[in-house]
Amino acid sequence: MRLLAVTAFALLLVTALESSVRTQSVASSGSPAPLVTQAEYDRWQTDLSNWGRWGKDDELGTLNLITPSKRRAAAMLVREGTTVSLASNAETEKAVDIPCPVEWAMLTASDAGASDRIGYPCIHGAGTTHLDSFAHRFFGGKMWNGYPVLGLVTTEGGAARNSVLTMKSGIVTRGVLYDIPRLKGVPYLEPGTRIFPADLEAWEQKSGVRVGPGDALLLRWGRWARRKALGPWPIDEGAAGLDVSVIPWLKRRDIALLGWETPGYVPQPPGDLPRLAVHDFVLTILGVHLIDRADFESLSEAASARKRWEFMLTVAPLPIPKGTGSPVNPIAIF
């Protein structure tokens, strides 16, 4: 066991050095950052994997790091009791950046009361803030913790393993906002901007906080600020996001949850890995659940006004049996 631990540490050290060299070479030369290769990415799927870390039957992944003491510590961050939503509004009209809106209609309206109907035809779509379960994305026919997809996730029966129902009791932990536009002194980042470990650590120096085991990292690049300034655009054709080289950094930080406004940067340079390379690796190999398509504008303003970039975070997915995800309204509490 000691030999295995030393070997795992050595592999992490190697990947950390590779990432550091990549970042330093870019900083010193001013040239475009080199891309993570397919060979590196493939090797990380073994070297950085969390499969089996919490036993062969695990379906929670890094949520195991959110212990009762972690939740109590998060609650201690609440000083005022001010709450801030991190969800975008559930849009009911189709738009260039909302190709699959929520289906909503009134059913009854009278002097005695009213009732409506709502449906989410695209849980994982661009128009809905949602929480991804481990039954959403796969590597080589396997999902989180090595479970085979075949027979466990079907169109007839849904997800028999790793469904969103595993999170029925909710998520409560310390949240930390990484506000990269504020770091750069701009209202928002431009589409195609790649966010590197050096950017995340520069923000830590500026803000005085950093994520650690069991925390939720929330990444803002300014999607909604850009929309307000310039109007909607096809979001899957233009976005900033985490560079693939951030994967070993995320592994070392041992976060429990990752949230962002969009999954990946686009346009991408020639020869780059698929846009969802970070999304899929984090979810399936590291076992980190994702809050996707969030809106961090109100959170950014609230945190900036208080000069506090850490807070208590709560996320409560709908208890959907065999579901691959759920709409959510994450709440930050200051």
Side-chain angles (χ1 to χ4, degrees), residues 62-256:
T62 54
L63 292 180
N64 284 288
L65 298 169
I66 305 178
T67 62
S69 62
K70 185 70 180 179
R71 297 187 190 98
R72 290 195 299 271
M76 294 296 289
L77 295 173
V78 178
R79 302 177 187 173
E80 311 160 21
T82 300
T83 59
V84 181
S85 169
L86 313 185
S88 60
N89 290 341
E91 298 292 342
T92 59
E93 299 294 329
K94 193 171 185 177
V96 66
D97 58 343
I98 305 171
C100 189
V102 170
E103 296 177 350
W104 175 87
M106 289 296 293
L107 296 180
T108 61
S110 69
D111 292 343
S115 177
D116 55 358
R117 179 187 67 230
I118 188 165
Y120 289 82
C122 306
I123 286 292
H124 301 284
T128 302
T129 301
H130 59 273
L131 182 66
D132 288 342
S133 85
F134 293 146
H136 174 40
R137 299 287 293 181
F138 317 122
F139 274 77
K142 292 187 177 182
M143 51 183 160
W144 159 250
N145 216 26
Y147 290 117
V149 176
L150 185 64
L152 291 180
V153 182
T154 64
T155 52
E156 298 81 14
R161 286 277 193 173
N162 285 333
S163 78
V164 75
L165 196 63
T166 62
M167 296 173 279
K168 179 180 178 179
S169 294
I171 302 168
V172 178
T173 192
R174 173 181 179 251
V176 182
L177 177 64
Y178 281 62
D179 201 331
I180 307 304
R182 289 189 186 273
L183 171 69
K184 307 286 187 180
V186 296
Y188 49 81
L189 304 183
E190 290 298 334
T193 300
R194 298 157 64 191
I195 299 169
F196 297 93
D199 296 313
L200 302 177
E201 292 178 0
W203 173 253
E204 292 173 346
Q205 289 290 323
K206 181 180 178 68
S207 66
V209 295
R210 55 179 278 166
V211 289
D215 290 336
L217 190 162
L218 307 178
L219 178 75
R220 175 180 176 263
W221 70 263
R223 177 253 175 107
W224 298 100
R226 189 176 192 272
R227 191 182 199 268
K228 182 178 180 180
L230 304 179
W233 73 96
I235 193 63
D236 288 329
E237 297 177 14
L242 292 173
D243 187 71
V244 183
S245 63
V246 83
I247 288 174
W249 188 93
L250 293 172
K251 165 72 174 183
R252 293 193 302 275
R253 291 306 182 91
D254 229 7
I255 60 172

Side-chain angles (χ1 to χ4, degrees), residues 22 45 146:
R22 177 182 284 110
Q45 291 173 41

Side-chain angles (χ1 to χ4, degrees), residues 11 41-50 281 285:
L11 290 171
Y41 190 73
D42 292 343
R43 175 164 56 83
W44 289 350
Q45 291 173 41
T46 299
D47 294 351
L48 303 181
S49 175
N50 277 328
F281 195 104
I285 305 299

Side-chain angles (χ1 to χ4, degrees), residues 286-303:
L286 296 186
V288 177
H289 287 92
L290 298 172
I291 301 174
D292 208 350
R293 313 288 182 170
D295 182 347
F296 296 140
E297 292 306 300
S298 294
L299 178 62
S300 176
E301 292 300 321

